Amino acid sequence: MSKQRRIPQHVAIIMDGNGRWAEQRGMERYEGHAAGIEPIRASARAAIRHGVGHLTLYAFSTENWGRPAAEVDALMELFCQCVIHETPDMQRQGIRIRTIGDRSRFSEKVQAHLAQAEEQTAGGDKLTLLLALNYSSRDEIVRAVRKIAGRVAAGTLAPEAIGEQTLAGALDTAGVPDPDLVIRTSGECRLSNFLLWQASYAEFYFPQVLWPDFTEEEFDRAMEEYARRDRRFGLVADK
Ligand code: IPE
Ligand code: IPE
Ligand code: MG
């Protein structure tokens, strides 16, 4: 296996376990979310060190709106604080911030902070950090299909011209390589509506560690595990 193939181009992380981390300490759930910021910094640093070009972080699902209002509000405030405080440092590190998901449901304040972070970091060429916010894969696919249907209805796209690239190009991740590795912390082994299309040939890694305890060393372990995997893509194994 070439060295090239052993470094994932794109790592996607389902940052799970903040609530349990807080509960174990007799703390409020939002304190677990706040403790989940440092692992984001650590993951970005580790990704750059390994030469991973794209890092996607699942931060808020479309389903998460159903949580108690106090928790949702605390998360929204945390997004704003996080974007305000972290952007300058990310800019210095050459990190480009992008989002996937439907941002239109967020308050104008949250949307403005996100737009500003994207603008300020647009020149980043070390790592593209994709934040999945109000994201669900089914919602993303439905929105993509609507865009494609619009082009068909307008007569600019023939149905028989629709291929995998048409759909991939209409998703929020257009232009981003598919994730090679999907990590979900906290021991849960499910995708929870994350990158269903894009992760069709990804490797999966489910460490027990709760997200607030995730460190650069944990990221390194994930890279080591990935390097041991034999990716065959339906073919026969390399000799
Ligand atoms: C992940 O941690 C963060 C979000 C979903 C926003 P959880 O809040 O899901 O933590 P657990 O799974 O309840 O421990
Ligand atoms: C998935 O975690 C969403 C995020 C990490 C943002 P959840 O904790 O919301 O998912 P379930 O409920 O365990 O499937
Ligand atoms: Mg969870």
Side-chain angles (χ1 to χ4, degrees):
M1 205 189 266
S2 71
K3 191 164 186 285
Q4 200 83 36
R5 272 179 63 194
R6 288 201 222 136
I7 303 291
Q9 283 193 78
H10 181 179
V11 174
I13 308 181
I14 303 172
M15 308 184 287
D16 200 16
N18 296 352
R20 277 164 282 169
W21 185 92
E23 279 154 25
Q24 285 172 4
R25 286 162 179 74
M27 294 158 92
E28 298 292 335
R29 289 181 60 86
Y30 76 85
E31 296 179 89
H33 298 311
I37 304 299
E38 181 51 37
I40 294 177
R41 297 187 194 111
S43 303
R45 278 195 304 270
I48 292 173
R49 179 162 51 74
H50 284 277
V52 170
H54 292 81
L55 177 67
T56 298
L57 300 175
Y58 202 5
F60 193 80
S61 74
T62 55
E63 289 81 12
N64 289 149
W65 291 109
R67 293 190 179 197
E71 183 173 347
V72 172
D73 291 348
L75 279 165
M76 294 302 137
E77 190 49 37
L78 191 64
F79 295 152
C80 291
Q81 293 307 319
C82 189
V83 166
I84 295 167
H85 292 117
E86 304 299 323
T87 302
D89 205 44
M90 294 209 167
Q91 193 178 1
R92 271 192 292 277
Q93 290 181 76
I95 298 172
R96 178 179 174 202
I97 300 174
R98 272 184 61 174
T99 70
I100 57 171
D102 181 3
R103 261 155 61 170
S104 67
R105 192 166 163 188
F106 289 117
S107 69
E108 277 177 25
K109 179 179 149 186
V110 173
Q111 290 189 50
H113 284 308
L114 292 171
Q116 200 179 357
E118 281 180 336
E119 212 178 285
Q120 281 175 8
T121 62
D125 58 1
K126 292 277 190 299
L127 174 73
T128 299
L129 181 66
L130 294 118
L131 300 172
L133 291 166
N134 188 25
Y135 178 85
S136 94
S137 197
R138 287 187 173 187
D139 176 68
E140 178 192 35
I141 291 168
V142 166
R143 287 185 287 105
V145 168
R146 268 194 215 127
K147 283 184 223 164
I148 295 168
R151 289 164 60 195
V152 171
T156 57
L157 179 68
E160 54 279 10
I162 297 171
E164 291 191 9
Q165 290 313 317
T166 320
L167 188 58
L171 294 171
D172 298 341
T173 50
V176 174
D178 284 341
D180 300 294
L181 175 66
V182 175
I183 302 170
R184 181 174 189 148
T185 56
S186 86
E188 306 292 358
C189 302
R190 56 176 171 266
L191 275 176
S192 302
N193 220 343
F194 188 51
L195 302 179
L196 302 180
W197 170 277
Q198 298 89 336
S200 59
Y201 257 108
E203 296 295 324
F204 290 88
Y205 178 60
F206 300 111
Q208 292 297 320
V209 62
L210 302 176
W211 179 250
D213 292 328
F214 195 82
T215 56
E216 284 198 53
E217 291 70 34
E218 294 286 348
F219 194 98
D220 294 347
R221 268 195 277 283
M223 292 299 104
E224 284 161 25
E225 172 63 27
Y226 176 81
R228 281 193 289 271
R229 301 283 175 92
D230 181 17
R231 303 184 77 190
R232 291 189 289 279
F233 299 99
L235 310 178
V236 288
D238 277 353
K239 282 275 146 38

